Amino acid sequence: AKQLGKAQFQFYTEALSERLLRQFQLELGLSSALKQNELHLVYQPQFNLTHNKIEGYETLLRWVKDGNVISPADFIPVAEQTGLIIEIGRWILVKSMIEMRPLLQAQQKLGVNISLRQFQQPDFVAQIEDVLRQTGFPAAQLELEITETAVALDFEETCIKLQKLRQLGVFIAIDDFGTGYSSLSRLRSLAVSRLKIDKAFIDRLADNEVDRNLVATIIALGKNLNLSVIAEGVESEEQVMWLRSLACDAIQGFYFSRPLRLEALEDVKQTISF
Ligand code: C2E
Ligand code: CA
Ligand code: CA
Ligand code: CA
């Protein structure tokens, strides 16, 4: 038993140091990624099911290092821990606004993910104001995606910040909705205009009645609070049919389009009838 214990301990420490090493490498690489031009943006169209038109695009960050694509799911947490997200986050805002401005039609919005640490900065609203001024991007075409967790963490502060952003003309979407604990009354008092239903619920939409009911409930909740609802991670025609029948406002996912580089966006059809 003692032998086994030792072996296991060794196993754990190895696994741990491997993880630390990997984290350290990410950290090191990330700090130079911006300067080395290793970061770029892709955009995923969001398709409105009522008007059968593209209503906006979500900005997603990509890191290509030595020919390998590193997933944002892996490096965003590192960027958060090290504080690099502040600089990178600002770069994402400016870059996406400059790149997308000529391409966006007047009614279309540009979605940008805001990480928790970025949002929690005391001068976050001033930063957004600054970026809008710097780029000349219309505030009413910017939609910031904030996760449900960020809202739950510091409700009072979030409430004030969202109110100020709304006064600037900027729109707010709650990302990964359904995974956190927003209460109805709290949602009602937030200056939010849209809910993004987490992919996990959409994945099981077609074959799990519990998840289907949940999606139906979120959509009904959205209608009730006068919020638009978008489903993310939509991959199949069957899912689109369900979402249509539940009167979901919009979809985003591989079924309509993968996230695309700027050059490829022009070739995407603006209107499609499914
Ligand atoms: P998210 O904000 O929930 O973004 C949606 C993720 O789902 C994206 O992954 C997107 O590529 C992926 N996706 C979209 N449609 C489908 C689909 O039909 N099927 C599948 N399997 N996946 C789909 P991605 O780009 O790897 O990003 C992962 C997460 O990393 C994002 O989740 C977001 O939390 C974070 N992230 C990505 N870009 C940024 C950024 O610019 N800033 C910040 N702060 N976070 C970002
Ligand atoms: Ca998002
Ligand atoms: Ca999401
Ligand atoms: Ca997500």
Side-chain angles (χ1 to χ4, degrees):
K2 206 173 178 186
Q3 280 303 78
L4 188 71
K6 194 176 171 191
Q8 255 179 8
F9 176 70
Q10 208 161 14
F11 173 74
Y12 283 129
T13 45
E14 266 164 29
L16 183 68
S17 54
E18 229 168 80
R19 220 180 57 210
L20 280 177
L21 185 67
R22 167 139 182 85
Q23 161 125 1
F24 185 60
Q25 282 167 339
L26 278 181
E27 205 178 309
L28 215 76
L30 200 54
S31 63
S32 60
L34 249 186
K35 286 172 226 109
Q36 306 287 334
N37 266 326
E38 291 169 354
L39 300 182
H40 70 266
L41 301 174
V42 289
Y43 303 94
Q44 188 174 35
Q46 300 172 327
F47 191 80
N48 185 291
L49 288 177
T50 309
H51 305 111
N52 290 322
K53 274 187 198 155
I54 294 178
E55 60 172 29
Y57 300 85
E58 177 177 3
T59 307
L60 295 158
L61 183 60
R62 294 290 176 264
W63 181 15
V64 183
K65 187 174 172 49
D66 309 321
N68 301 313
V69 182
I70 306 173
S71 165
D74 290 332
F75 71 81
I76 294 278
V78 177
E80 281 243 309
Q81 281 156 32
T82 55
L84 276 166
I85 193 68
I86 305 304
E87 195 189 342
I88 294 175
R90 190 185 164 90
W91 178 85
I92 294 166
L93 281 159
V94 172
K95 179 88 172 172
S96 62
M97 287 177 188
I98 292 174
E99 283 192 340
M100 287 299 284
R101 197 177 168 194
L103 227 128
L104 274 188
Q105 295 173 7
Q107 356 54 274
Q108 293 176 333
K109 290 195 181 77
L110 175 68
V112 180
N113 289 290
I114 301 298
S115 84
L116 179 60
R117 179 138 177 202
Q118 204 182 352
F119 183 70
Q120 279 178 332
Q121 290 205 288
D123 66 340
F124 178 72
V125 178
Q127 283 181 36
I128 295 296
E129 215 175 344
D130 206 47
V131 167
L132 286 170
R133 199 179 313 118
Q134 188 189 331
T135 59
F137 192 89
Q141 283 183 268
L142 179 62
E143 180 174 79
L144 302 179
E145 298 192 6
I146 317 267
T147 62
E148 208 182 357
T149 330
V151 175
L153 267 179
D154 191 347
F155 185 71
E156 299 292 312
E157 188 61 31
T158 300
C159 220
I160 296 167
K161 271 186 188 158
L162 296 189
Q163 198 70 51
K164 285 185 184 155
L165 287 166
R166 191 63 213 112
Q167 276 160 12
L168 286 182
V170 172
F171 288 90
I172 307 289
I174 305 280
D175 206 357
D176 302 342
F177 191 79
T179 59
Y181 301 93
S182 339
S183 72
L184 237 168
S185 58
R186 280 186 156 195
L187 254 186
R188 202 189 300 275
S189 53
L190 283 179
V192 160
S193 62
R194 144 132 110 169
L195 305 177
K196 298 195 77 175
I197 308 176
D198 196 69
K199 179 179 182 298
F201 303 109
I202 306 304
D203 281 344
R204 298 173 300 230
L205 180 67
D207 39 48
N208 184 317
E209 208 186 327
V210 177
D211 282 344
R212 192 149 62 231
N213 287 338
L214 216 132
V215 170
T217 306
I218 294 176
I219 294 168
L221 173 78
K223 293 255 177 312
N224 198 274
L225 295 176
N226 220 353
L227 307 174
S228 83
V229 178
I230 184 165
E232 59 179 17
V234 177
E235 291 178 348
S236 72
E237 186 172 4
E238 204 181 359
Q239 290 169 333
V240 177
M241 274 161 51
W242 274 113
L243 290 162
R244 242 189 220 293
S245 76
L246 295 172
C248 186
D249 300 296
I251 55 166
Q252 182 183 342
F254 296 171
Y255 181 76
F256 183 73
S257 170
R258 289 186 173 259
L260 299 170
R261 294 196 72 139
L262 190 68
E263 309 83 72
L265 273 187
E266 293 168 15
D267 300 332
V268 178
K269 286 207 190 74
Q270 289 289 325
T271 46
I272 285 186
S273 16
F274 289 112

